[in-house]
Amino acid sequence: MDEVIQVTQWLSSITPRKKAKLFFFTTHADAPSPMVGSNDVDTHEETQLPLATTVALHNFKNIDEFLKKKVNTFSCYNVIENEITKTDYEYLRFYSACKYLDVVPPFLDLEKISAIQNKFEMTDEERDYRLLLDSADLVLEKVCDSLKPAGVSQMWTALRKDRNLIRGVKTIDIIGFFVDPNPTGIKECLFFFIVRFLQKADKINRVNTNRLERLIAQCDESSSCEEGKTIDFIIDSLRFYPTELYPFGFCLIMCVIEGRDGAMQEIEKTMEISRHLGMITHTEKNPTKETIELVKKELMKPKYQFYSSITCWFMSHGDSNSMVLADGETIEREWFLTSFPDISTFQLKPKVFFMVSCRGANKFSLKGDEFEGQSATCDYYDIGSALIRNRMLDITDSVRDISYVQPMMDTLVAYSTILDHLSGRANTHGSIYVDRASVLMSENISRGRSLTEILEHLSQDLHEILQETMDEDRIVYKQACHYDSFFRKTLKLPYTRHPKEDVHSAPQ
């Protein structure tokens, strides 16, 4: 059959709503840059003009033309070995979006998909199409599905009132002030236009969504929300880190085995919980400084930008400042923690570090210790809430910026013990902290709990356990864990437990 006819038939089989979503997923706002084959031109018209004209004219002609152009580009594309291009990235995004929406063109060359995945050095697990979807876009799709056409129309009206933001934007004028979002697919096009416009204007990104939340907050709940949804529910969905679908993220396990009884048990437990969470896992036994440098280099490869989060378990002996590696050398804990968050492939994504090692030799001994309760008060606690509101700064959009991000942002570091203290372990089972963390995470999958809630529960659970030193003194003591958080959103555990045998292969 003629290819033109095939494309026409394929487009005619897709509903308007799915066309709008396919366009949205395909014109992903955070495509990696710079890429081979990218001319770094402004893609404003490519991503927004088809949406604007579709909303204004109530037909999908321009979106159809865009999708036809994509299909024709991919049809003629020759996969070049060892060189990742912009088209490679777009091809993978297009394929994953089609797969997600169940509209894969029957004529799409899946061998090219496999060849591109080879260039990205993807393992069998990483060839699952869900990895290629952008989790932030999936969250925005759910927000759109939760709103009625009237709700999106109210968001548009609120956006149009911001004269400074829309001044001189031609696509805004194409749509006009009053919009009828009721025809099938128009609501989606208008919502996705608003999202892409705010992203291109540097007002929102995958972490900073305040500007979008403010538009939604101005909607009338009775007329704007689908059944069973509320304005608060929709806004709350934007306040979690986007980690939709499989995988939940990438998990790196580094464990020094030499001289650490039960270390293999630690590896087994952390691997098991990472699989249950739906994470793709890599393990490094007996890491050295050279190993760490190689891992950092590996994580800079393009394929890791498809992951929505990273979790690292580092288990070794240590003291207040350092961790002992397999070859007896030490690395500064601070150096380790500040070098990984700066990796560009995980920018604006949650980065969690579990640091399991002693941080000194002190013990919270239960023998003869007495503690006197202390309290502290400050005058500022007496300030009434009304007075606080009156003294608050008026923070306008003109003094807000989301373009520059301090590297440690979106990072959480969980320590198995507090500074200068021991981190307890059992001869056969390894770290008690790792054991309890694995149990609590496993128990709380599917319960909608956040990581910080679980860490707080872990802190309570661990501090109840009586431990004993392994030396001749046999001192009974308690261990206290804690975490430092630079999170800007809440990280929830996934709702689905992924079994060990859940293996995803490349497209056939």
Side-chain angles (χ1 to χ4, degrees), residues 3-112:
E3 186 174 312
V4 175
I5 297 175
Q6 285 185 311
V7 174
T8 302
Q9 289 180 345
W10 170 67
L11 284 171
S12 65
S13 69
I14 306 175
T15 65
R17 291 182 70 244
K18 285 191 175 182
K19 282 183 182 178
K21 292 183 178 185
L22 181 56
F23 180 89
F24 178 65
F25 293 138
T26 304
T27 56
H28 177 61
D30 298 322
S33 179
M35 296 286 287
V36 175
S38 173
N39 53 13
D40 294 327
V41 298
D42 181 13
T43 57
H44 173 83
E45 288 195 359
E46 183 184 34
T47 58
Q48 295 181 52
L49 186 57
L51 291 171
T53 55
T54 301
V55 172
L57 302 175
H58 285 187
N59 74 61
F60 281 76
K61 178 181 177 181
N62 285 341
I63 287 181
D64 285 349
E65 289 300 319
F66 172 88
L67 295 175
K68 283 181 183 178
K69 183 179 177 182
K70 285 292 180 188
V71 169
N72 290 335
T73 299
F74 299 148
S75 178
C76 300
Y77 180 59
N78 293 317
V79 180
I80 305 170
E81 291 186 8
N82 304 321
E83 190 177 62
I84 295 176
T85 69
K86 182 181 178 183
T87 304
D88 289 329
Y89 180 86
E90 292 177 345
Y91 207 146
L92 291 182
R93 286 290 191 202
F94 179 77
Y95 164 72
S96 64
C98 288
K99 187 81 172 172
Y100 173 71
L101 296 168
D102 196 22
V103 294
V104 177
F107 47 84
L108 193 67
D109 191 342
L110 297 186
E111 288 186 3
K112 287 185 181 179

Side-chain angles (χ1 to χ4, degrees), residues 8 16 62 81 88 92 135 179 231 280 321 371 390 393 493:
T8 302
N62 285 341
E81 291 186 8
D88 289 329
L92 291 182
S135 54
V179 177
I231 294 295
I280 293 176
N321 298 313
F371 299 89
N390 292 336
L393 291 171
L493 266 63

Side-chain angles (χ1 to χ4, degrees), residues 439-449 454 457 493-494:
V439 169
L440 291 176
M441 286 187 194
S442 181
E443 289 178 349
N444 282 282
I445 296 173
S446 306
R447 294 184 180 178
R449 300 281 172 80
I454 293 168
H457 190 177
L493 266 63

Side-chain angles (χ1 to χ4, degrees), residues 360-428:
N362 291 342
K363 297 169 286 293
F364 176 59
S365 173
L366 301 187
K367 272 193 174 181
D369 283 342
E370 294 179 1
F371 299 89
E372 295 181 5
Q374 295 182 348
S375 64
T377 58
C378 295
D379 291 341
Y380 66 82
Y381 286 128
D382 296 327
I383 298 175
S385 59
L387 181 57
I388 292 175
R389 285 197 299 271
N390 292 336
R391 296 176 62 182
M392 286 172 61
L393 291 171
D394 181 17
I395 308 296
T396 63
D397 284 347
S398 63
V399 294
R400 292 181 181 271
D401 173 78
I402 66 172
S403 304
Y404 300 96
V405 181
Q406 209 278 345
M408 283 299 290
M409 296 306 293
D410 307 305
T411 299
L412 182 147
V413 183
Y415 297 94
S416 62
T417 189
I418 58 177
L419 185 63
D420 296 327
H421 283 68
L422 285 175
S423 181
R425 55 191 304 99
N427 286 334
T428 55

